Amino acid sequence: MLTGFSRLEQLVDEYPNRKLQTLMHYVNTATLEEAHEKQENGKASGMDKETKASYGKNLAENTENLIRRMKTFSYRPQPVRRTYIEKEGGSGVRPLGIPAYEDKLVQSVMAEVLNVIYEPKFLDCSYGFREGRDCHQAVLQLNKYLFDYTKWVVDADIRGFFDHVHHDWLITFLEHEIADKNFLRYIKRFLKSGYMENGIHTMAEEGVAQGGLCG
């Protein structure tokens, strides 16, 4: 977890039913620079061709410039670079969106804000993509259910779920907890930024890009 979120954690804990304001101030030069340090070296670049090494050469100047653009709303996320990876079991491919480097940093911080808000609301039986939880723990819990409670297992999946997420409903869901309109405004921009494939920019009317941290 990025540092500097203790106050937000306190607010979430003390006022679980209060809508949260002024979340954008958590996106600042300190949290962006910390997000930069946490990026892995050698990762594929997005449309900007920027890497951790190249961006880090003028890190302070770059993050200060990014914050200035965010405050004036001149910062707009770039479309993700679409590529494809093979599904497990060789049953086809699935699209993967690689964000521009600055977008990765902003998404990292915003995703951490969302984690602080929503982590306490998850059921204890939920293990997917949660910090401090893994598939081994899920298997142990499943074994307990199978031996102590039931002998039935239902394996279900929603085909193309990420490709068809309804943007308006997602924002409506977030508005139950978040009252910071600027924070939501940037989430909308990420959702609408679309993807670039074979030189063609496709705007996103639905769905979230798999590969982005806010997706």
Side-chain angles (χ1 to χ4, degrees):
M1 178 181 290
L2 299 177
T3 57
F5 291 90
S6 57
R7 177 55 181 161
L8 179 58
E9 291 174 332
Q10 183 182 3
L11 288 173
V12 170
D13 181 58
E14 293 181 358
Y15 307 101
N17 298 317
R18 177 187 293 181
K19 289 189 177 184
L20 295 160
Q21 300 271 5
T22 61
L23 296 177
M24 279 309 299
H25 81 271
Y26 289 102
V27 184
N28 52 55
T29 55
T31 55
L32 288 171
E33 289 180 9
E34 187 174 354
H36 166 79
E37 295 302 324
K38 290 180 178 292
Q39 299 299 312
E40 295 182 28
N41 291 309
K43 299 292 284 187
S45 59
M47 295 304 302
D48 59 347
K49 306 297 183 183
E50 194 81 74
T51 65
K52 179 178 180 178
S54 62
Y55 196 83
K57 290 179 179 179
N58 298 292
L59 181 60
E61 180 181 344
N62 286 335
T63 53
E64 288 172 3
N65 178 271
L66 174 55
I67 289 296
R68 282 196 297 270
R69 284 180 284 131
M70 293 193 74
K71 288 181 177 179
T72 59
F73 294 100
S74 60
Y75 161 72
R76 289 187 174 276
Q78 298 185 44
V80 298
R81 180 171 67 84
R82 172 164 280 190
T83 185
Y84 293 87
I85 60 173
E86 187 173 329
K87 292 182 178 180
E88 292 183 7
S91 58
V93 296
R94 66 181 178 91
L96 187 70
I98 303 175
Y101 191 78
E102 281 191 335
D103 297 341
K104 286 183 182 180
L105 299 186
V106 176
Q107 286 187 30
S108 294
V109 181
M110 294 183 72
E112 191 58 58
V113 171
L114 293 173
N115 283 338
V116 172
I117 295 170
Y118 288 101
E119 173 62 26
K121 301 181 185 300
F122 278 96
L123 297 177
D124 193 53
C125 60
S126 176
Y127 288 88
F129 304 100
R130 295 178 67 189
E131 187 173 354
R133 291 172 177 252
D134 56 37
C135 59
H136 300 290
Q137 294 171 324
V139 169
L140 288 174
Q141 187 65 59
L142 180 60
N143 283 336
K144 180 176 177 60
Y145 288 147
L146 288 173
F147 285 107
D148 294 349
Y149 304 111
T150 183
K151 295 186 182 301
W152 290 93
V153 175
V154 177
D155 183 14
D157 188 20
I158 301 175
R159 179 181 297 175
F161 172 79
F162 289 102
D163 296 331
H164 300 289
V165 170
H166 195 290
H167 291 174
D168 291 340
W169 275 113
L170 178 57
I171 295 299
T172 297
F173 174 82
L174 294 174
E175 286 174 340
H176 285 292
E177 312 292 339
I178 297 172
D180 187 336
K181 294 187 181 300
N182 291 334
F183 190 88
L184 295 173
R185 182 177 181 180
Y186 273 118
I187 288 182
K188 291 177 185 177
R189 287 190 177 185
F190 277 114
L191 291 172
K192 298 294 185 184
S193 61
Y195 63 89
M196 187 75 74
E197 183 176 14
N198 297 324
I200 299 174
H201 180 201
T202 301
M203 298 295 292
E205 299 300 327
E206 63 177 0
V208 293
Q210 297 182 65
L213 293 170
C214 281

